Amino acid sequence: MSTTRPYPPGDRGPEPSGASGASEGDTPAGAPSVMGATVSSVPPSEADAGVAGASSGRQIRRLELRGESGVVPLARDFTRQALYAWGWLPAAAADRRAAAEDVLLVVSELVTNACLHAEGPDELVLTCDNKVIRLEVSDGGTGQPAPRNPHRAGRPGGHGMFIVQRLCLDWGVLRTPGRPGKTVWAELGAPA
């Protein structure tokens, strides 16, 4: 079931002290590098700072996809790089690996849907706090994504939004009045 909750992630109570991941620009050895990406971090507010020197603020990364080719692997590589920087990868435990793979799969599905139904994605935005990662794919399309109903598991195609619905805590569509296009967003829980 999708919702169109209009507020950003982070409205989940006070953040615990501690780091939400690596700082901007930190890329561990072996992590992929994506060219053309805009990486930005939102510094924590004084209220968010738990321990001196610890950062518990939201981390934000943006990737312009408008006019790019090979956008699905580009988006996956960019997301994988962010997961390394935020400490989701490398994952020693199976549940942490599964959480990272779920994020990569949802990114693939959202970007693929923009390619198939909206003339391609414009931008991918990843936002991570200590509890949730939010994925946003903006495009110029007017359609309304929805899981195909009834879902037919044995048939090819039509599984993208069903997968998103099953893996995510929540998802929805944001539209800005007076502007064409939409942003399809999905939120997944951070690994414990």
Side-chain angles (χ1 to χ4, degrees), residues 7 15 17 21 64 67 74 82 84 91 104 114 119 142 147 152 158-159 177-178 184-187:
Y7 55 85
E15 295 294 322
S17 63
E64 281 291 323
L74 183 65
Y84 271 100
L104 293 170
E119 299 179 17
T142 58
R152 293 192 178 12
H159 307 291
V184 181
W185 60 268
E187 295 179 340

Side-chain angles (χ1 to χ4, degrees), residues 151-178:
H151 180 253
R152 293 192 178 12
R155 291 199 166 164
H159 307 291
M161 294 313 293
F162 179 78
I163 290 169
V164 170
Q165 181 180 29
R166 297 289 295 220
L167 293 178
C168 295
L169 299 171
D170 203 0
W171 72 276
V173 178
L174 295 174
R175 297 184 191 275
T176 303

Side-chain angles (χ1 to χ4, degrees), residues 2 11 13 19 28 30 39 41 51 55 59 63 71 82 95 97 109 112 117 122 140 145 147 161 164 166 176:
S2 87
D11 188 16
V39 180
S41 294
V51 178
S55 167
Q59 301 290 319
L63 176 64
V71 293
D95 60 333
R97 275 192 302 279
E109 294 299 337
T112 298
H117 305 293
D122 294 333
M161 294 313 293
V164 170
R166 297 289 295 220
T176 303

Side-chain angles (χ1 to χ4, degrees), residues 87-173:
W88 288 49
L89 292 173
D95 60 333
R96 293 183 67 83
R97 275 192 302 279
E101 287 301 321
D102 287 351
V103 170
L104 293 170
L105 178 56
V106 171
V107 164
S108 296
E109 294 299 337
L110 295 180
V111 172
T112 298
N113 277 355
C115 291
L116 294 174
H117 305 293
E119 299 179 17
D122 294 333
E123 183 180 44
L124 168 65
V125 178
L126 310 174
T127 306
C128 185
D129 62 24
N130 287 341
K131 298 178 184 177
V132 170
I133 187 168
R134 181 177 172 111
L135 316 170
E136 298 179 6
V137 176
S138 300
D139 62 54
T142 58
Q144 179 70 22
R148 190 171 286 173
N149 195 2
H151 180 253
R152 293 192 178 12
R155 291 199 166 164
H159 307 291
M161 294 313 293
F162 179 78
I163 290 169
V164 170
Q165 181 180 29
R166 297 289 295 220
L167 293 178
C168 295
L169 299 171
D170 203 0
W171 72 276
V173 178

